[in-house]
Amino acid sequence: MTWRQRLSRWDVRSAPYLYIAPFFLLFAVVGLFPLLYTGWVALHRWSLVVGNQGFIGLGNFGYVLAQPRFWDAVVNTFSIFLLSSVPQILLAIFIASVLDANLRAKTFWRMGVLVPYVVAPVAVSLVFGQLFADESGVINTMLAGLGLDPIGWHADRWASHVAIATMVNFRWTGYNALIFLAAMQAIPRDVIEAAVVDGANRWRTFLNVTVPMLRPTIIFVVITSTIGGLQIFDEPRLFDTFGLGGPDREWMTVTMYLYELGWATQRNLGRSAAVAWLLFLIIVLFAMINYAITKRIASSDAPHHRVRGQGKAVAR
């Protein structure tokens, strides 16, 4: 082979790796290195002021796991996550189905559902703070007008979780709806038309044709919602003026507990890093569980018929 032929062959083989190299380099700098360095800090007594004060192994992990406040934060995190993610995904699928219909001014409505996502969390917290205020809030004022007892949004644990979950749903439902809308528009129209021709109504077509073909997208949204929901910080921190998760830590999440250990009270970065790694392991575990469950459902209930065969099955 000539030198030019060898250079061309090397270019064909190496070019794909060079194209994707910037992503991996960037991930190594801003993703992998901070993760590994946090693990190194978690194994040391590390003060925010003094710095490294010596290796203590798993001592920080033992301290964190022995704290009742950490487990309260775990319960609060999962409660807010379930109250936000499940209704959020269901509502996003419904909104996407409406946007996929023949509406006037489609672009306007599709842009409108994304407006809450671009609003700053501080602005969202100010608006919802007026809704969920304990004494003069809009909701409690309406309840008082109906002769009902007011709700202690900042005193009751589960009421605060509902309020925070409502803020999360307001911000992220439209974003997920556009993801589902893109997936719905990729579904072949002949499949849906075949179901309609074979006698299936709109509801059964949506439930038995559209939703099964959305399962890969549903898996993606469930996993990303799990990762984001377990890392929630902005909404609960801005729910009151103190930012500590309530007087008895009624809505303090794991990330807020991490912040409290590292900066707010103890200023112990070693313990804070241990919380970060525990949260990382929890997220990985539940992401794998979610993926396994949704993948199994998708493989067992995947549609086996196409076009007219699938339409006849739906019609029956």
Side-chain angles (χ1 to χ4, degrees):
M1 297 179 61
T2 63
W3 178 83
R4 186 178 298 274
Q5 290 175 333
R6 292 179 180 177
L7 181 62
S8 176
R9 187 175 182 180
W10 177 85
D11 179 67
V12 171
R13 290 183 175 181
S14 60
Y17 300 98
L18 294 177
Y19 293 150
I20 64 175
F23 166 77
F24 288 99
L25 293 175
L26 186 64
F27 172 75
V29 173
V30 302
L32 185 60
F33 172 74
L35 180 66
L36 298 178
Y37 189 73
T38 302
W40 173 257
V41 173
L43 300 177
H44 293 74
R45 182 180 291 107
W46 204 294
S47 172
L48 180 63
V49 179
V50 180
N52 188 3
Q53 295 178 302
F55 180 81
I56 60 173
L58 299 178
N60 289 325
F61 292 91
Y63 172 85
V64 171
L65 294 174
Q67 299 301 309
R69 183 165 291 182
F70 169 75
W71 296 108
D72 289 340
V74 172
V75 173
N76 294 337
T77 301
F78 277 98
S79 175
I80 297 173
F81 159 67
L82 293 176
L83 289 173
S84 59
S85 295
V86 176
Q88 180 185 136
I89 293 175
L90 297 177
L91 187 58
I93 294 176
F94 171 76
I95 295 175
S97 66
V98 174
L99 294 176
D100 193 40
N102 293 325
L103 297 176
R104 294 183 179 179
K106 290 183 179 180
T107 304
F108 171 78
W109 295 113
R110 292 172 183 177
M111 292 177 60
V113 298
L114 197 61
V115 170
Y117 172 71
V118 300
V119 176
V122 176
V124 175
S125 300
L126 290 175
V127 173
F128 280 86
Q130 297 297 320
L131 291 175
F132 295 109
D134 290 335
E135 297 180 358
S136 59
V138 175
I139 296 179
N140 281 340
T141 302
M142 295 175 60
L143 292 176
L146 297 174
L148 301 176
D149 294 332
I151 300 175
W153 297 107
H154 293 78
D156 183 75
R157 177 185 296 268
W158 304 115
S160 63
H161 294 181
V162 171
I164 295 172
T166 304
M167 297 166 58
V168 176
N169 290 334
F170 173 78
R171 288 195 63 208
W172 290 97
T173 299
Y175 175 84
N176 289 327
L178 291 184
I179 296 177
F180 286 123
L181 175 62
M184 287 181 183
Q185 292 181 336
I187 298 175
R189 293 300 171 181
D190 53 357
V191 177
I192 299 177
E193 292 173 358
V196 174
V197 169
D198 288 319
N201 57 32
R202 187 172 182 178
W203 169 249
R204 291 189 63 84
T205 302
F206 173 76
L207 193 63
N208 295 90
V209 177
T210 304
V211 173
M213 301 189 75
L214 286 178
R215 284 199 175 102
T217 306
I218 294 175
I219 293 174
F220 169 78
V221 173
V222 167
I223 293 177
T224 54
S225 297
T226 301
I227 296 174
L230 296 180
Q231 293 179 333
I232 183 172
F233 179 79
D234 294 340
E235 289 81 2
R237 176 160 175 78
L238 297 174
F239 189 56
D240 66 354
T241 57
F242 300 100
L244 297 177
D248 294 327
R249 304 302 190 266
E250 291 90 349
W251 63 87
M252 183 183 68
T253 61
V254 176
T255 52
M256 293 181 66
Y257 182 62
L258 181 155
Y259 176 82
E260 180 176 321
L261 288 179
W263 288 270
T265 57
Q266 298 188 19
R267 299 181 182 272
N268 191 317
L269 293 183
R271 294 172 181 175
S272 180
V275 175
W277 256 87
L278 290 173
L279 178 61
F280 169 72
L281 296 177
I282 292 173
I283 291 174
V284 170
L285 176 62
F286 276 84
M288 294 175 62
I289 293 174
N290 281 336
Y291 178 78
I293 293 175
T294 52
K295 191 70 174 179
R296 184 172 181 179
I297 294 174
S299 61
S300 61
D301 296 336
H304 300 288
H305 307 286
R306 298 296 178 190
V307 194
R308 297 190 64 84
Q310 187 169 12
K312 293 177 181 180
V314 174
R316 290 197 294 269

